[in-house]
Amino acid sequence: MESGVFVARDPLLHVDVHVDELEPHRGILELLSRLRPHWNAHDIQMKTFTEGITNQLIGCYIGSLQEPGCVLVRLYGQSTELFVNRNREIEMFQIMHSHSCGPEIYCSFHNGICYEFVMGTVLDDELLRQPSIYSVHPVGGVLSFDMLAEMESLRRALSNMGSPIVLCHNDLLTKNIIYNQNQGTVKFIDYEYADYNYQAFDIGNHFNEFAGMECIYSRYPGPDLQRDWLTAYLESYKHSTAREVTVTDGELSQLYIQVCKFSLASNLLWGFWAILQSRFSSIDFDFQRYATARLKYYFEKKEEYFGLGLCDQNNSIVLPESKRSSQ
C-alpha cells in the first residue's frame, strides 16, 4: 500500500467490560448483549481457536460459524501492551476495512476487541506458493550476543537501502491471510503490528513466515518463486500508483536484494519478541525455542544476504558464489 495519511472516520465503541481469560463465558455474553442484542443467550455457541500464540481468540455465533453475524472476541495476552500499540492496532483495523482488505472491528473492551469473522480459507503451505493467491490485487536457551549493538549495526546497513515507507501488516503469516475462492479475494486479519514500515521488510517478513512457527527454513521460497512473487507485486504496486506496469530487470533485482536484507530485520525482531514473550506470556508455547531458531537463522543468513548487491551486465540478479555453484 502507498504511504500517506489515513484518519479513522468514526470513534470505536468501547464496552466497559473485562473478560476473565480463565472463565471468559460470562464476560463474552455481556459483550454480545451489546453487539448482538437480538441473540438469545441460550442459543449462543462459542468456539476457541488455538492457532494464536499471543492472544486468545473465541468465535461466537448462532447456528454456524459460516453464517453472517459471527463475532470474534480476542482477549489480549498478558503484558502484550509492552510491545503492541493497541490504539494503532484499532486504527489499522479501520484502515484495512475501509479499503476492503480486512474485517470490520465492532468494539473494544478493557482487555480485548471484537471484530468480524472473515469467510474463506486460511492459507496453508501449498496455497501460499500459488500465483493465483499472491497475484490477487488488493481490494534450549536463547543465543547470547549484544542485542543493542546488533540492532544498531543492522539499522545502519538497512537505512540507506532505498526501500519506500508504506503501510505494512508486519505479521503476514499464513494464518493471517484469508482466501475466498468464490470471490477471488484475499483479505488480511490481525493488525496488532500493522504500521508504516519499509516495503521490503513486510515482504521479507512474509517470506520468513513460509517457514511457519516450526521454523522449517527449507520452506523459505527459492529464488525462482521469489522472482515470480516480486514481479506480481511490482506489477500490482505500479498499477495502483498509475505508473507503467512493465517491470524491468533492474527494478526486480533491486527489490529482491532489499527483501533479502530486510528479512534479516524480521528474524531479529521476532527473535527479540519471543524472548520477551518467554518472560511474560501465559500461552503454552516454547518461546525460547522459537527465539533461538529465529536468531540462529539470522546469523546463518547475515553474511550471505549482505553479500548480495552485484548485478551482471544485463542487470540481472546475481547470487553469492556459494549459491550459484550449488544450483
Side-chain angles (χ1 to χ4, degrees):
M1 297 183 183
E2 289 185 87
S3 61
V5 177
F6 295 88
V7 179
R9 304 186 180 200
D10 299 309
L12 182 67
L13 170 68
H14 181 78
V15 181
D16 187 17
V17 168
H18 182 279
V19 178
D20 187 334
E21 64 178 42
L22 298 179
E23 297 289 341
H25 189 267
R26 180 178 177 181
I28 290 176
L29 288 180
E30 190 172 351
L31 287 170
L32 294 176
S33 70
R34 295 287 304 275
L35 297 176
R36 298 289 184 267
H38 57 286
W39 282 4
N40 187 318
H42 296 291
D43 296 331
I44 295 174
Q45 301 180 63
M46 299 185 189
K47 177 180 178 180
T48 300
F49 297 90
T50 58
E51 295 292 348
I53 59 171
T54 303
N55 315 289
Q56 289 189 53
L57 186 62
I58 300 169
C60 307
Y61 57 96
I62 290 181
S64 168
L65 265 174
Q66 300 300 321
E67 293 181 13
C70 173
V71 176
L72 292 179
V73 178
R74 191 206 299 161
L75 306 181
Y76 296 148
Q78 293 183 18
S79 302
T80 52
E81 71 279 358
L82 294 174
F83 47 85
V84 175
N85 183 327
R86 296 300 180 185
N87 290 329
R88 176 53 61 90
E89 178 190 9
I90 289 171
E91 180 185 358
M92 291 300 152
F93 259 97
Q94 295 173 315
I95 290 171
M96 292 291 187
H97 179 66
S98 70
H99 289 272
S100 301
C101 291
E104 179 181 0
I105 183 168
Y106 298 133
C107 76
S108 63
F109 54 96
H110 288 315
N111 59 323
I113 54 175
C114 298
Y115 56 98
E116 175 188 11
F117 178 77
V118 176
M119 302 291 185
T121 303
V122 173
L123 292 195
D124 56 23
D125 293 339
E126 183 177 351
L127 284 173
L128 193 62
R129 297 171 181 271
Q130 292 186 12
S132 60
I133 304 298
Y134 63 69
S135 297
V136 171
H137 287 208
V139 176
V142 177
L143 300 178
S144 176
F145 62 98
D146 189 332
M147 293 183 182
L148 293 178
E150 195 64 38
M151 290 171 59
E152 178 59 22
S153 172
L154 191 62
R155 185 196 65 79
R156 289 197 304 267
L158 297 178
S159 60
N160 296 319
M161 287 292 298
S163 183
I165 302 295
V166 299
L167 185 61
C168 295
H169 185 283
N170 292 320
D171 191 23
L172 282 179
L173 46 84
T174 57
K175 306 303 182 185
N176 286 341
I177 307 172
I178 307 297
Y179 173 57
N180 189 310
Q181 184 175 9
N182 294 331
Q183 299 178 6
T185 60
V186 166
K187 291 190 177 182
F188 305 139
I189 61 174
D190 290 357
Y191 310 119
E192 289 183 290
Y193 306 101
D195 206 337
Y196 293 103
N197 201 351
Y198 292 102
Q199 177 191 65
F201 175 90
D202 214 18
I203 300 172
N205 183 71
H206 177 57
F207 286 172
N208 278 333
E209 296 298 350
F210 277 55
M213 298 306 298
E214 306 87 358
C215 296
I216 304 174
Y217 284 104
S218 60
R219 299 175 181 170
Y220 191 93
D224 289 340
L225 177 56
Q226 289 187 60
R227 289 186 185 98
D228 291 343
W229 197 104
L230 294 173
T231 298
Y233 176 88
L234 284 170
E235 289 173 347
S236 177
Y237 182 69
K238 295 176 77 171
H239 177 78
S240 69
T241 55
R243 289 183 287 172
E244 170 59 43
V245 174
T246 301
V247 175
T248 67
D249 288 343
E251 290 170 330
L252 180 59
S253 299
Q254 180 184 44
L255 184 56
Y256 175 90
I257 292 167
Q258 290 172 341
V259 167
C260 285
K261 295 182 179 182
F262 271 92
S263 72
L264 295 171
S266 161
N267 280 314
L268 199 62
L269 168 68
W270 293 114
F272 291 168
W273 169 87
I275 292 172
L276 193 60
Q277 285 278 42
S278 69
R279 178 176 178 183
F280 294 107
S281 178
S282 60
I283 302 294
D284 183 17
F285 182 80
D286 192 346
F287 287 104
Q288 287 202 352
R289 178 204 61 80
Y290 186 74
T292 299
R294 294 300 295 253
L295 296 174
K296 183 173 182 287
Y297 194 70
Y298 166 83
F299 285 108
E300 285 179 0
K301 305 302 288 187
K302 181 180 177 181
E303 182 177 355
E304 175 187 330
Y305 285 170
F306 275 104
L308 291 171
L310 298 176
C311 291
D312 64 16
Q313 59 185 355
N314 296 318
N315 209 24
S316 298
I317 298 167
V318 176
L319 298 176
E321 188 68 33
S322 60
K323 298 295 285 185
R324 293 204 308 271
S325 61
S326 64
Q327 294 185 21

